[in-house]
mmCIF file with all atom_site columns, all heavy atoms in Angstrom:
data_model
loop_
_atom_site.group_PDB
_atom_site.id
_atom_site.type_symbol
_atom_site.label_atom_id
_atom_site.label_alt_id
_atom_site.label_comp_id
_atom_site.label_asym_id
_atom_site.label_entity_id
_atom_site.label_seq_id
_atom_site.pdbx_PDB_ins_code
_atom_site.Cartn_x
_atom_site.Cartn_y
_atom_site.Cartn_z
_atom_site.occupancy
_atom_site.B_iso_or_equiv
_atom_site.pdbx_formal_charge
_atom_site.auth_seq_id
_atom_site.auth_comp_id
_atom_site.auth_asym_id
_atom_site.auth_atom_id
_atom_site.pdbx_PDB_model_num
ATOM 1   N N   . TRP K 1 1  ? 6.247  5.405  -4.828  1.00 97.00 ? 1349 TRP K N   1
ATOM 2   C CA  . TRP K 1 1  ? 6.707  4.048  -5.154  1.00 97.00 ? 1349 TRP K CA  1
ATOM 3   C C   . TRP K 1 1  ? 7.900  4.161  -6.083  1.00 97.00 ? 1349 TRP K C   1
ATOM 4   O O   . TRP K 1 1  ? 7.977  5.092  -6.890  1.00 97.00 ? 1349 TRP K O   1
ATOM 5   C CB  . TRP K 1 1  ? 5.600  3.250  -5.832  1.00 97.00 ? 1349 TRP K CB  1
ATOM 6   C CG  . TRP K 1 1  ? 6.118  2.070  -6.604  1.00 97.00 ? 1349 TRP K CG  1
ATOM 7   C CD1 . TRP K 1 1  ? 6.452  0.835  -6.113  1.00 97.00 ? 1349 TRP K CD1 1
ATOM 8   C CD2 . TRP K 1 1  ? 6.400  2.024  -8.007  1.00 97.00 ? 1349 TRP K CD2 1
ATOM 9   N NE1 . TRP K 1 1  ? 6.917  0.024  -7.117  1.00 97.00 ? 1349 TRP K NE1 1
ATOM 10  C CE2 . TRP K 1 1  ? 6.899  0.730  -8.294  1.00 97.00 ? 1349 TRP K CE2 1
ATOM 11  C CE3 . TRP K 1 1  ? 6.291  2.947  -9.053  1.00 97.00 ? 1349 TRP K CE3 1
ATOM 12  C CZ2 . TRP K 1 1  ? 7.284  0.346  -9.573  1.00 97.00 ? 1349 TRP K CZ2 1
ATOM 13  C CZ3 . TRP K 1 1  ? 6.676  2.560  -10.329 1.00 97.00 ? 1349 TRP K CZ3 1
ATOM 14  C CH2 . TRP K 1 1  ? 7.165  1.274  -10.571 1.00 97.00 ? 1349 TRP K CH2 1
ATOM 15  N N   . GLU K 1 2  ? 8.827  3.210  -5.954  1.00 97.00 ? 1350 GLU K N   1
ATOM 16  C CA  . GLU K 1 2  ? 9.937  3.113  -6.906  1.00 97.00 ? 1350 GLU K CA  1
ATOM 17  C C   . GLU K 1 2  ? 10.246 1.635  -7.126  1.00 97.00 ? 1350 GLU K C   1
ATOM 18  O O   . GLU K 1 2  ? 10.203 0.824  -6.191  1.00 97.00 ? 1350 GLU K O   1
ATOM 19  C CB  . GLU K 1 2  ? 11.167 3.859  -6.395  1.00 97.00 ? 1350 GLU K CB  1
ATOM 20  C CG  . GLU K 1 2  ? 11.649 3.421  -5.032  1.00 97.00 ? 1350 GLU K CG  1
ATOM 21  C CD  . GLU K 1 2  ? 12.741 4.317  -4.478  1.00 97.00 ? 1350 GLU K CD  1
ATOM 22  O OE1 . GLU K 1 2  ? 13.200 5.200  -5.215  1.00 97.00 ? 1350 GLU K OE1 1
ATOM 23  O OE2 . GLU K 1 2  ? 13.118 4.116  -3.316  1.00 97.00 ? 1350 GLU K OE2 1
ATOM 24  N N   . ALA K 1 3  ? 10.562 1.303  -8.376  1.00 97.00 ? 1351 ALA K N   1
ATOM 25  C CA  . ALA K 1 3  ? 10.831 -0.089 -8.721  1.00 97.00 ? 1351 ALA K CA  1
ATOM 26  C C   . ALA K 1 3  ? 12.127 -0.590 -8.100  1.00 97.00 ? 1351 ALA K C   1
ATOM 27  O O   . ALA K 1 3  ? 12.257 -1.774 -7.781  1.00 97.00 ? 1351 ALA K O   1
ATOM 28  C CB  . ALA K 1 3  ? 10.875 -0.245 -10.241 1.00 97.00 ? 1351 ALA K CB  1
ATOM 29  N N   . ALA K 1 4  ? 13.100 0.293  -7.912  1.00 97.00 ? 1352 ALA K N   1
ATOM 30  C CA  . ALA K 1 4  ? 14.414 -0.126 -7.404  1.00 97.00 ? 1352 ALA K CA  1
ATOM 31  C C   . ALA K 1 4  ? 14.290 -0.846 -6.065  1.00 97.00 ? 1352 ALA K C   1
ATOM 32  O O   . ALA K 1 4  ? 14.911 -1.898 -5.843  1.00 97.00 ? 1352 ALA K O   1
ATOM 33  C CB  . ALA K 1 4  ? 15.328 1.084  -7.278  1.00 97.00 ? 1352 ALA K CB  1
ATOM 34  N N   . SER K 1 5  ? 13.484 -0.309 -5.169  1.00 97.00 ? 1353 SER K N   1
ATOM 35  C CA  . SER K 1 5  ? 13.270 -0.945 -3.868  1.00 97.00 ? 1353 SER K CA  1
ATOM 36  C C   . SER K 1 5  ? 11.997 -1.790 -3.852  1.00 97.00 ? 1353 SER K C   1
ATOM 37  O O   . SER K 1 5  ? 11.858 -2.693 -3.026  1.00 97.00 ? 1353 SER K O   1
ATOM 38  C CB  . SER K 1 5  ? 13.172 0.115  -2.767  1.00 97.00 ? 1353 SER K CB  1
ATOM 39  O OG  . SER K 1 5  ? 11.998 0.891  -2.941  1.00 97.00 ? 1353 SER K OG  1
ATOM 40  N N   . GLY K 1 6  ? 11.062 -1.467 -4.743  1.00 97.00 ? 1354 GLY K N   1
ATOM 41  C CA  . GLY K 1 6  ? 9.772  -2.142 -4.755  1.00 97.00 ? 1354 GLY K CA  1
ATOM 42  C C   . GLY K 1 6  ? 8.831  -1.674 -3.668  1.00 97.00 ? 1354 GLY K C   1
ATOM 43  O O   . GLY K 1 6  ? 7.760  -2.250 -3.489  1.00 97.00 ? 1354 GLY K O   1
ATOM 44  N N   . LEU K 1 7  ? 9.204  -0.611 -2.940  1.00 98.00 ? 1355 LEU K N   1
ATOM 45  C CA  . LEU K 1 7  ? 8.429  -0.189 -1.776  1.00 98.00 ? 1355 LEU K CA  1
ATOM 46  C C   . LEU K 1 7  ? 7.479  0.960  -2.105  1.00 98.00 ? 1355 LEU K C   1
ATOM 47  O O   . LEU K 1 7  ? 7.799  1.856  -2.887  1.00 98.00 ? 1355 LEU K O   1
ATOM 48  C CB  . LEU K 1 7  ? 9.361  0.240  -0.645  1.00 98.00 ? 1355 LEU K CB  1
ATOM 49  C CG  . LEU K 1 7  ? 10.333 -0.824 -0.122  1.00 98.00 ? 1355 LEU K CG  1
ATOM 50  C CD1 . LEU K 1 7  ? 11.195 -0.244 0.991   1.00 98.00 ? 1355 LEU K CD1 1
ATOM 51  C CD2 . LEU K 1 7  ? 9.584  -2.061 0.360   1.00 98.00 ? 1355 LEU K CD2 1
ATOM 52  N N   . ALA K 1 8  ? 6.302  0.905  -1.480  1.00 97.00 ? 1356 ALA K N   1
ATOM 53  C CA  . ALA K 1 8  ? 5.313  1.985  -1.571  1.00 97.00 ? 1356 ALA K CA  1
ATOM 54  C C   . ALA K 1 8  ? 5.146  2.607  -0.194  1.00 97.00 ? 1356 ALA K C   1
ATOM 55  O O   . ALA K 1 8  ? 5.400  1.973  0.834   1.00 97.00 ? 1356 ALA K O   1
ATOM 56  C CB  . ALA K 1 8  ? 3.982  1.456  -2.075  1.00 97.00 ? 1356 ALA K CB  1
ATOM 57  N N   . GLN K 1 9  ? 4.713  3.878  -0.195  1.00 97.00 ? 1357 GLN K N   1
ATOM 58  C CA  . GLN K 1 9  ? 4.493  4.581  1.061   1.00 97.00 ? 1357 GLN K CA  1
ATOM 59  C C   . GLN K 1 9  ? 3.344  5.561  0.878   1.00 97.00 ? 1357 GLN K C   1
ATOM 60  O O   . GLN K 1 9  ? 3.155  6.122  -0.210  1.00 97.00 ? 1357 GLN K O   1
ATOM 61  C CB  . GLN K 1 9  ? 5.755  5.332  1.498   1.00 97.00 ? 1357 GLN K CB  1
ATOM 62  C CG  . GLN K 1 9  ? 5.679  5.958  2.888   1.00 97.00 ? 1357 GLN K CG  1
ATOM 63  C CD  . GLN K 1 9  ? 7.024  6.524  3.331   1.00 97.00 ? 1357 GLN K CD  1
ATOM 64  O OE1 . GLN K 1 9  ? 7.852  6.900  2.513   1.00 97.00 ? 1357 GLN K OE1 1
ATOM 65  N NE2 . GLN K 1 9  ? 7.247  6.588  4.629   1.00 97.00 ? 1357 GLN K NE2 1
ATOM 66  N N   . LEU K 1 10 ? 2.584  5.763  1.931   1.00 97.00 ? 1358 LEU K N   1
ATOM 67  C CA  . LEU K 1 10 ? 1.487  6.726  1.922   1.00 97.00 ? 1358 LEU K CA  1
ATOM 68  C C   . LEU K 1 10 ? 1.783  7.832  2.925   1.00 97.00 ? 1358 LEU K C   1
ATOM 69  O O   . LEU K 1 10 ? 2.268  7.564  4.033   1.00 97.00 ? 1358 LEU K O   1
ATOM 70  C CB  . LEU K 1 10 ? 0.168  6.046  2.298   1.00 97.00 ? 1358 LEU K CB  1
ATOM 71  C CG  . LEU K 1 10 ? -1.044 6.975  2.195   1.00 97.00 ? 1358 LEU K CG  1
ATOM 72  C CD1 . LEU K 1 10 ? -1.580 6.976  0.773   1.00 97.00 ? 1358 LEU K CD1 1
ATOM 73  C CD2 . LEU K 1 10 ? -2.138 6.581  3.168   1.00 97.00 ? 1358 LEU K CD2 1
ATOM 74  N N   . TRP K 1 11 ? 1.503  9.060  2.507   1.00 97.00 ? 1359 TRP K N   1
ATOM 75  C CA  . TRP K 1 11 ? 1.643  10.217 3.391   1.00 97.00 ? 1359 TRP K CA  1
ATOM 76  C C   . TRP K 1 11 ? 0.271  10.868 3.516   1.00 97.00 ? 1359 TRP K C   1
ATOM 77  O O   . TRP K 1 11 ? -0.363 11.202 2.513   1.00 97.00 ? 1359 TRP K O   1
ATOM 78  C CB  . TRP K 1 11 ? 2.628  11.232 2.821   1.00 97.00 ? 1359 TRP K CB  1
ATOM 79  C CG  . TRP K 1 11 ? 4.047  10.751 2.745   1.00 97.00 ? 1359 TRP K CG  1
ATOM 80  C CD1 . TRP K 1 11 ? 4.567  9.825  1.885   1.00 97.00 ? 1359 TRP K CD1 1
ATOM 81  C CD2 . TRP K 1 11 ? 5.130  11.185 3.565   1.00 97.00 ? 1359 TRP K CD2 1
ATOM 82  N NE1 . TRP K 1 11 ? 5.902  9.654  2.111   1.00 97.00 ? 1359 TRP K NE1 1
ATOM 83  C CE2 . TRP K 1 11 ? 6.287  10.484 3.147   1.00 97.00 ? 1359 TRP K CE2 1
ATOM 84  C CE3 . TRP K 1 11 ? 5.247  12.104 4.609   1.00 97.00 ? 1359 TRP K CE3 1
ATOM 85  C CZ2 . TRP K 1 11 ? 7.531  10.675 3.732   1.00 97.00 ? 1359 TRP K CZ2 1
ATOM 86  C CZ3 . TRP K 1 11 ? 6.486  12.300 5.195   1.00 97.00 ? 1359 TRP K CZ3 1
ATOM 87  C CH2 . TRP K 1 11 ? 7.619  11.588 4.755   1.00 97.00 ? 1359 TRP K CH2 1
ATOM 88  N N   . LEU K 1 12 ? -0.205 11.061 4.749   1.00 97.00 ? 1360 LEU K N   1
ATOM 89  C CA  . LEU K 1 12 ? -1.486 11.719 4.992   1.00 97.00 ? 1360 LEU K CA  1
ATOM 90  C C   . LEU K 1 12 ? -1.235 12.990 5.790   1.00 97.00 ? 1360 LEU K C   1
ATOM 91  O O   . LEU K 1 12 ? -0.720 12.936 6.911   1.00 97.00 ? 1360 LEU K O   1
ATOM 92  C CB  . LEU K 1 12 ? -2.435 10.783 5.754   1.00 97.00 ? 1360 LEU K CB  1
ATOM 93  C CG  . LEU K 1 12 ? -3.846 11.330 5.983   1.00 97.00 ? 1360 LEU K CG  1
ATOM 94  C CD1 . LEU K 1 12 ? -4.589 11.478 4.655   1.00 97.00 ? 1360 LEU K CD1 1
ATOM 95  C CD2 . LEU K 1 12 ? -4.633 10.433 6.938   1.00 97.00 ? 1360 LEU K CD2 1
ATOM 96  N N   . ASN K 1 13 ? -1.568 14.125 5.176   1.00 96.00 ? 1361 ASN K N   1
ATOM 97  C CA  . ASN K 1 13 ? -1.379 15.434 5.812   1.00 96.00 ? 1361 ASN K CA  1
ATOM 98  C C   . ASN K 1 13 ? 0.057  15.636 6.281   1.00 96.00 ? 1361 ASN K C   1
ATOM 99  O O   . ASN K 1 13 ? 0.321  16.175 7.366   1.00 96.00 ? 1361 ASN K O   1
ATOM 100 C CB  . ASN K 1 13 ? -2.357 15.605 6.981   1.00 96.00 ? 1361 ASN K CB  1
ATOM 101 C CG  . ASN K 1 13 ? -3.796 15.475 6.542   1.00 96.00 ? 1361 ASN K CG  1
ATOM 102 O OD1 . ASN K 1 13 ? -4.169 15.937 5.465   1.00 96.00 ? 1361 ASN K OD1 1
ATOM 103 N ND2 . ASN K 1 13 ? -4.610 14.813 7.344   1.00 96.00 ? 1361 ASN K ND2 1
ATOM 104 N N   . GLY K 1 14 ? 1.001  15.189 5.455   1.00 95.00 ? 1362 GLY K N   1
ATOM 105 C CA  . GLY K 1 14 ? 2.418  15.383 5.733   1.00 95.00 ? 1362 GLY K CA  1
ATOM 106 C C   . GLY K 1 14 ? 3.021  14.375 6.680   1.00 95.00 ? 1362 GLY K C   1
ATOM 107 O O   . GLY K 1 14 ? 4.216  14.455 6.976   1.00 95.00 ? 1362 GLY K O   1
ATOM 108 N N   . GLN K 1 15 ? 2.217  13.401 7.143   1.00 95.00 ? 1363 GLN K N   1
ATOM 109 C CA  . GLN K 1 15 ? 2.713  12.393 8.079   1.00 95.00 ? 1363 GLN K CA  1
ATOM 110 C C   . GLN K 1 15 ? 2.911  11.069 7.343   1.00 95.00 ? 1363 GLN K C   1
ATOM 111 O O   . GLN K 1 15 ? 2.013  10.610 6.640   1.00 95.00 ? 1363 GLN K O   1
ATOM 112 C CB  . GLN K 1 15 ? 1.732  12.208 9.237   1.00 95.00 ? 1363 GLN K CB  1
ATOM 113 C CG  . GLN K 1 15 ? 1.538  13.463 10.062  1.00 95.00 ? 1363 GLN K CG  1
ATOM 114 C CD  . GLN K 1 15 ? 2.833  13.964 10.688  1.00 95.00 ? 1363 GLN K CD  1
ATOM 115 O OE1 . GLN K 1 15 ? 3.594  13.209 11.286  1.00 95.00 ? 1363 GLN K OE1 1
ATOM 116 N NE2 . GLN K 1 15 ? 3.099  15.258 10.509  1.00 95.00 ? 1363 GLN K NE2 1
ATOM 117 N N   . PRO K 1 16 ? 4.060  10.395 7.520   1.00 96.00 ? 1364 PRO K N   1
ATOM 118 C CA  . PRO K 1 16 ? 4.346  9.184  6.744   1.00 96.00 ? 1364 PRO K CA  1
ATOM 119 C C   . PRO K 1 16 ? 3.772  7.924  7.373   1.00 96.00 ? 1364 PRO K C   1
ATOM 120 O O   . PRO K 1 16 ? 3.579  7.833  8.583   1.00 96.00 ? 1364 PRO K O   1
ATOM 121 C CB  . PRO K 1 16 ? 5.876  9.135  6.776   1.00 96.00 ? 1364 PRO K CB  1
ATOM 122 C CG  . PRO K 1 16 ? 6.237  9.755  8.103   1.00 96.00 ? 1364 PRO K CG  1
ATOM 123 C CD  . PRO K 1 16 ? 5.214  10.834 8.341   1.00 96.00 ? 1364 PRO K CD  1
ATOM 124 N N   . SER K 1 17 ? 3.531  6.958  6.515   1.00 96.00 ? 1365 SER K N   1
ATOM 125 C CA  . SER K 1 17 ? 3.243  5.592  6.946   1.00 96.00 ? 1365 SER K CA  1
ATOM 126 C C   . SER K 1 17 ? 4.547  4.803  6.944   1.00 96.00 ? 1365 SER K C   1
ATOM 127 O O   . SER K 1 17 ? 5.610  5.321  6.578   1.00 96.00 ? 1365 SER K O   1
ATOM 128 C CB  . SER K 1 17 ? 2.279  4.935  5.958   1.00 96.00 ? 1365 SER K CB  1
ATOM 129 O OG  . SER K 1 17 ? 2.972  4.685  4.729   1.00 96.00 ? 1365 SER K OG  1
ATOM 130 N N   . SER K 1 18 ? 4.466  3.545  7.332   1.00 96.00 ? 1366 SER K N   1
ATOM 131 C CA  . SER K 1 18 ? 5.570  2.626  7.075   1.00 96.00 ? 1366 SER K CA  1
ATOM 132 C C   . SER K 1 18 ? 5.709  2.434  5.568   1.00 96.00 ? 1366 SER K C   1
ATOM 133 O O   . SER K 1 18 ? 4.745  2.603  4.820   1.00 96.00 ? 1366 SER K O   1
ATOM 134 C CB  . SER K 1 18 ? 5.302  1.272  7.733   1.00 96.00 ? 1366 SER K CB  1
ATOM 135 O OG  . SER K 1 18 ? 5.220  1.396  9.129   1.00 96.00 ? 1366 SER K OG  1
ATOM 136 N N   . ARG K 1 19 ? 6.922  2.051  5.133   1.00 96.00 ? 1367 ARG K N   1
ATOM 137 C CA  . ARG K 1 19 ? 7.120  1.700  3.723   1.00 96.00 ? 1367 ARG K CA  1
ATOM 138 C C   . ARG K 1 19 ? 6.891  0.200  3.581   1.00 96.00 ? 1367 ARG K C   1
ATOM 139 O O   . ARG K 1 19 ? 7.364  -0.588 4.399   1.00 96.00 ? 1367 ARG K O   1
ATOM 140 C CB  . ARG K 1 19 ? 8.525  2.096  3.264   1.00 96.00 ? 1367 ARG K CB  1
ATOM 141 C CG  . ARG K 1 19 ? 8.776  3.596  3.374   1.00 96.00 ? 1367 ARG K CG  1
ATOM 142 C CD  . ARG K 1 19 ? 10.151 3.976  2.858   1.00 96.00 ? 1367 ARG K CD  1
ATOM 143 N NE  . ARG K 1 19 ? 10.202 3.899  1.417   1.00 96.00 ? 1367 ARG K NE  1
ATOM 144 C CZ  . ARG K 1 19 ? 11.314 3.643  0.719   1.00 96.00 ? 1367 ARG K CZ  1
ATOM 145 N NH1 . ARG K 1 19 ? 12.446 3.406  1.338   1.00 96.00 ? 1367 ARG K NH1 1
ATOM 146 N NH2 . ARG K 1 19 ? 11.282 3.603  -0.599  1.00 96.00 ? 1367 ARG K NH2 1
ATOM 147 N N   . LYS K 1 20 ? 6.138  -0.194 2.548   1.00 97.00 ? 1368 LYS K N   1
ATOM 148 C CA  . LYS K 1 20 ? 5.714  -1.586 2.425   1.00 97.00 ? 1368 LYS K CA  1
ATOM 149 C C   . LYS K 1 20 ? 5.972  -2.112 1.023   1.00 97.00 ? 1368 LYS K C   1
ATOM 150 O O   . LYS K 1 20 ? 5.949  -1.354 0.044   1.00 97.00 ? 1368 LYS K O   1
ATOM 151 C CB  . LYS K 1 20 ? 4.228  -1.716 2.771   1.00 97.00 ? 1368 LYS K CB  1
ATOM 152 C CG  . LYS K 1 20 ? 3.920  -1.322 4.214   1.00 97.00 ? 1368 LYS K CG  1
ATOM 153 C CD  . LYS K 1 20 ? 2.505  -1.681 4.609   1.00 97.00 ? 1368 LYS K CD  1
ATOM 154 C CE  . LYS K 1 20 ? 2.266  -1.376 6.086   1.00 97.00 ? 1368 LYS K CE  1
ATOM 155 N NZ  . LYS K 1 20 ? 0.923  -1.794 6.520   1.00 97.00 ? 1368 LYS K NZ  1
ATOM 156 N N   . PRO K 1 21 ? 6.198  -3.434 0.880   1.00 97.00 ? 1369 PRO K N   1
ATOM 157 C CA  . PRO K 1 21 ? 6.484  -4.015 -0.437  1.00 97.00 ? 1369 PRO K CA  1
ATOM 158 C C   . PRO K 1 21 ? 5.303  -3.880 -1.389  1.00 97.00 ? 1369 PRO K C   1
ATOM 159 O O   . PRO K 1 21 ? 4.152  -4.107 -1.005  1.00 97.00 ? 1369 PRO K O   1
ATOM 160 C CB  . PRO K 1 21 ? 6.757  -5.493 -0.124  1.00 97.00 ? 1369 PRO K CB  1
ATOM 161 C CG  . PRO K 1 21 ? 7.074  -5.535 1.332   1.00 97.00 ? 1369 PRO K CG  1
ATOM 162 C CD  . PRO K 1 21 ? 6.302  -4.429 1.956   1.00 97.00 ? 1369 PRO K CD  1
ATOM 163 N N   . ALA K 1 22 ? 5.607  -3.518 -2.634  1.00 95.00 ? 1370 ALA K N   1
ATOM 164 C CA  . ALA K 1 22 ? 4.585  -3.422 -3.680  1.00 95.00 ? 1370 ALA K CA  1
ATOM 165 C C   . ALA K 1 22 ? 5.055  -4.183 -4.920  1.00 95.00 ? 1370 ALA K C   1
ATOM 166 O O   . ALA K 1 22 ? 4.793  -5.363 -5.057  1.00 95.00 ? 1370 ALA K O   1
ATOM 167 C CB  . ALA K 1 22 ? 4.272  -1.969 -3.995  1.00 95.00 ? 1370 ALA K CB  1
ATOM 168 N N   . SER K 1 23 ? 5.812  -3.536 -5.813  1.00 94.00 ? 1371 SER K N   1
ATOM 169 C CA  . SER K 1 23 ? 6.271  -4.188 -7.040  1.00 94.00 ? 1371 SER K CA  1
ATOM 170 C C   . SER K 1 23 ? 7.647  -3.670 -7.420  1.00 94.00 ? 1371 SER K C   1
ATOM 171 O O   . SER K 1 23 ? 7.940  -2.486 -7.237  1.00 94.00 ? 1371 SER K O   1
ATOM 172 C CB  . SER K 1 23 ? 5.296  -3.928 -8.190  1.00 94.00 ? 1371 SER K CB  1
ATOM 173 O OG  . SER K 1 23 ? 5.800  -4.435 -9.406  1.00 94.00 ? 1371 SER K OG  1
ATOM 174 N N   . LYS K 1 24 ? 8.476  -4.553 -7.967  1.00 95.00 ? 1372 LYS K N   1
ATOM 175 C CA  . LYS K 1 24 ? 9.794  -4.165 -8.476  1.00 95.00 ? 1372 LYS K CA  1
ATOM 176 C C   . LYS K 1 24 ? 9.808  -4.074 -10.001 1.00 95.00 ? 1372 LYS K C   1
ATOM 177 O O   . LYS K 1 24 ? 10.867 -3.924 -10.599 1.00 95.00 ? 1372 LYS K O   1
ATOM 178 C CB  . LYS K 1 24 ? 10.863 -5.155 -7.992  1.00 95.00 ? 1372 LYS K CB  1
ATOM 179 C CG  . LYS K 1 24 ? 11.130 -5.072 -6.496  1.00 95.00 ? 1372 LYS K CG  1
ATOM 180 C CD  . LYS K 1 24 ? 12.343 -5.902 -6.090  1.00 95.00 ? 1372 LYS K CD  1
ATOM 181 C CE  . LYS K 1 24 ? 12.690 -5.679 -4.625  1.00 95.00 ? 1372 LYS K CE  1
ATOM 182 N NZ  . LYS K 1 24 ? 13.916 -6.414 -4.223  1.00 95.00 ? 1372 LYS K NZ  1
ATOM 183 N N   . SER K 1 25 ? 8.635  -4.151 -10.619 1.00 94.00 ? 1373 SER K N   1
ATOM 184 C CA  . SER K 1 25 ? 8.533  -4.051 -12.080 1.00 94.00 ? 1373 SER K CA  1
ATOM 185 C C   . SER K 1 25 ? 8.007  -2.679 -12.479 1.00 94.00 ? 1373 SER K C   1
ATOM 186 O O   . SER K 1 25 ? 7.199  -2.078 -11.759 1.00 94.00 ? 1373 SER K O   1
ATOM 187 C CB  . SER K 1 25 ? 7.590  -5.128 -12.625 1.00 94.00 ? 1373 SER K CB  1
ATOM 188 O OG  . SER K 1 25 ? 8.081  -6.417 -12.336 1.00 94.00 ? 1373 SER K OG  1
ATOM 189 N N   . ASN K 1 26 ? 8.463  -2.193 -13.622 1.00 94.00 ? 1374 ASN K N   1
ATOM 190 C CA  . ASN K 1 26 ? 7.988  -0.907 -14.123 1.00 94.00 ? 1374 ASN K CA  1
ATOM 191 C C   . ASN K 1 26 ? 6.493  -0.953 -14.441 1.00 94.00 ? 1374 ASN K C   1
ATOM 192 O O   . ASN K 1 26 ? 5.935  -2.015 -14.748 1.00 94.00 ? 1374 ASN K O   1
ATOM 193 C CB  . ASN K 1 26 ? 8.752  -0.510 -15.388 1.00 94.00 ? 1374 ASN K CB  1
ATOM 194 C CG  . ASN K 1 26 ? 10.152 -0.002 -15.094 1.00 94.00 ? 1374 ASN K CG  1
ATOM 195 O OD1 . ASN K 1 26 ? 10.684 -0.224 -14.011 1.00 94.00 ? 1374 ASN K OD1 1
ATOM 196 N ND2 . ASN K 1 26 ? 10.750 0.654  -16.069 1.00 94.00 ? 1374 ASN K ND2 1
#
């Protein structure tokens, strides 16, 4: 996750998910 984009992502066994909105605050 990073605040700059606000996007979170999950990786399972080296394979990525879609990136999805989470939070833009620290």
Side-chain angles (χ1 to χ4, degrees):
W1349 160 82
E1350 56 188 353
S1353 67
L1355 300 180
Q1357 187 172 27
L1358 185 86
W1359 294 72
L1360 184 66
N1361 302 322
Q1363 298 300 312
S1365 71
S1366 297
R1367 299 182 73 208
K1368 298 190 176 184
S1371 174
K1372 291 189 173 183
S1373 298
N1374 284 17

